[in-house]
């Protein structure tokens, strides 16, 4: 049991470090390719923070651990919308971003609804995974094009501030070094995922609980660390409006990219509890944000406290 806990802690630490470096190098490569900092902030950074979830779910699917693969995605999305957004709002109230209201949130709601419907037959096959991957590519292309018309100059500057320092023009590096860093980061993510999955499976066996419960709690929280760190830092720097945009964008990538890739690699068997409870919790958490985002136009500290309490209550119910 102690060894398994050590593996989980080590795996989470390696995933967090490798995921952070992956965002750095991917942003630097995108900048060298000619993408503007604003576009990088709206696409590369949001996708990069979901890299730990991608590697863990893909590895779990290939190992035949469908419960863990799906629970990691659903649990990470639930954590993003409740615990991480709530903690961010406690640091500083989170105003609604223009692109969030016009594009990201409606699309995230649609992606969550489709996931809920497709999981009702207790299977997520390769065709459905391929459909999700194509949808992600189409959404990303549309988001880049739409951002030029939807976002104002100050809002584009805010998006650019999400780009890490190595991607700045003054931080240019040789292409070969950037590619080597990317390769090393991917290797670190793979190793961290393998260690985390082994530890999580061991804990599940020792405690007599399902991989679904471990995936929704320990694994989901561990792989969500990049989003938590990025959101809290953004809030402390006075850019909390980008935090909620990154979290919702991460949810879209988790569903369409990670669930799509994992099921394309190996069809996922959906646990009845995941279809009957977890998918609805994820969709409900997202739907309940609508009055805050479109009505109050922000997530206040009081609302953040409610979100954190709801997240803790949900995880407590899983332990029971």
């Amino acid at each position: 049991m102690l060894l398994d806990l050590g593996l989980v802690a080590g795996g989470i630490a390696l995933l967090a470090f490798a995921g952070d470096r992956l965002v750095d190098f991917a942003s630097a490569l995108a900048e060298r390719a000619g993408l503007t900092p604003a576009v990088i902030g709206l696409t590369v950074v949001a996708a990069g923070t979901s890299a730990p979830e991608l590697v863990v779910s893909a590895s779990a699917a290939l190992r035949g651990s469908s419960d863990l693969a799906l629970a990691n995605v659903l649990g990470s999305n639930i954590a993003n919308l409740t615990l991480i957004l709530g903690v961010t709002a406690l640091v500083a109230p989170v105003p609604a971003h223009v692109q969030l209201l016009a594009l990201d949130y409606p699309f995230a709601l649609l992606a969550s609804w489709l996931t809920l419907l497709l999981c009702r037959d207790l299977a997520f096959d390769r065709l459905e995974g391929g459909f999700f991957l194509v949808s992600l590519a189409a959404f990303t292309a549309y988001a880049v094009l739409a951002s030029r018309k939807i976002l104002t100059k100050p809002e584009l500057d805010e998006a650019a501030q999400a780009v890490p320092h190595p991607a700045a023009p003054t931080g240019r590096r040789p292409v070969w070094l950037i590619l080597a860093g990317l390769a090393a980061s991917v290797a670190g993510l793979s190793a961290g995922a393998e260690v985390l999955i082994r530890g999580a499976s061991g804990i599940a066996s020792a405690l007599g609980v399902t991989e679904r419960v471990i995936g929704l709690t320990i694994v989901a929280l561990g792989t969500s660390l990049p989003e938590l760190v990025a959101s809290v830092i953004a809030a402390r720097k006075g850019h909390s409006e980008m935090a909620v945009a990154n979290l919702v964008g991460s949810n879209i990538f988790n569903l369409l990219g990670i669930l799509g890739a994992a099921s394309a690699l190996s069809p996922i068997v959906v646990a009845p509890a995941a279809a009957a409870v977890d998918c609805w919790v994820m969709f409900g958490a997202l739907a309940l944000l609508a009055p805050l985002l479109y009505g109050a136009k922000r997530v206040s500290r009081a609302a953040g406290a409610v979100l954190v309490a709801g997240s803790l209550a949900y995880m407590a119910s899983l332990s029971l």
Side-chain angles (χ1 to χ4, degrees):
M1 183 67 172
L2 290 178
L3 176 60
D4 293 327
L5 289 173
L7 289 175
V8 167
I12 289 174
L14 185 53
L15 283 170
F17 176 77
D20 180 66
R21 301 307 297 159
L22 179 70
V23 172
D24 289 349
F25 287 114
S27 298
L29 187 63
E31 193 272 332
R32 291 295 297 272
L35 297 182
T36 65
V39 172
I40 295 172
L42 291 169
T43 57
V44 177
V45 174
T49 54
S50 294
E53 288 98 326
L54 172 61
V55 179
V56 169
S57 289
S59 300
L62 289 174
R63 290 165 62 99
S65 300
S66 294
D67 283 354
L68 190 59
L70 179 61
N72 178 43
V73 172
L74 299 180
S76 293
N77 278 16
I78 293 170
N80 284 347
L81 299 170
T82 56
L83 181 64
I84 298 177
L85 181 57
V87 170
T88 304
L90 290 175
V91 175
V94 181
H97 196 273
V98 174
Q99 173 160 338
L100 172 72
L101 299 177
L103 180 63
D104 292 354
Y105 180 82
F107 202 88
L109 202 63
L110 176 60
S112 297
W113 179 249
L114 287 175
T115 301
L116 191 155
L117 292 178
L118 292 177
C119 286
R120 291 183 68 250
D121 62 352
L122 304 184
F124 210 94
D125 59 32
R126 286 190 170 94
L127 180 60
E128 292 165 338
F131 170 74
F132 268 29
L133 291 175
V134 172
S135 299
L136 176 64
F139 167 76
T140 302
Y142 180 75
V144 172
L145 294 175
S147 66
R148 299 176 182 177
K149 297 182 178 181
I150 296 175
L151 300 186
T152 63
K153 179 62 167 59
E155 289 161 349
L156 287 173
D157 292 340
E158 290 169 358
Q161 291 174 2
V163 180
H165 177 70
T170 56
R172 292 181 181 273
R173 301 182 179 187
V175 174
W176 69 267
L177 183 59
I178 296 175
L179 292 175
L182 275 173
S185 299
V186 172
L189 284 170
S190 300
E194 180 67 21
V195 173
L196 177 59
I197 291 173
R198 286 182 180 274
S201 298
I203 291 176
S205 298
L207 296 179
V209 298
T210 64
E211 288 186 342
R212 164 184 165 263
V213 173
I214 297 298
L216 287 167
T217 53
I218 297 175
V219 177
L221 291 176
T223 56
S224 293
L225 283 177
E227 286 93 340
L228 175 61
V229 173
S231 298
V232 170
I233 290 176
R236 292 189 63 183
K237 290 183 177 180
H239 301 293
S240 54
E241 65 280 351
M242 287 307 301
V244 65
N246 287 338
L247 288 173
V248 174
S250 178
N251 272 31
I252 295 173
F253 187 84
N254 285 350
L255 292 176
L256 301 183
I258 297 174
L259 184 56
S263 56
L265 289 171
S266 178
I268 292 177
V269 177
V270 179
V277 179
D278 306 327
C279 286
W280 282 102
V281 171
M282 177 187 66
F283 180 77
L286 188 60
L288 289 174
L289 289 180
L292 299 176
L293 300 179
Y294 291 95
K297 300 293 184 182
R298 68 170 190 163
V299 180
S300 64
R301 284 191 170 91
V306 173
L307 291 174
V308 172
S311 175
L312 296 177
Y314 172 66
M315 286 189 285
S317 70
L318 290 173
S319 67
L320 297 177

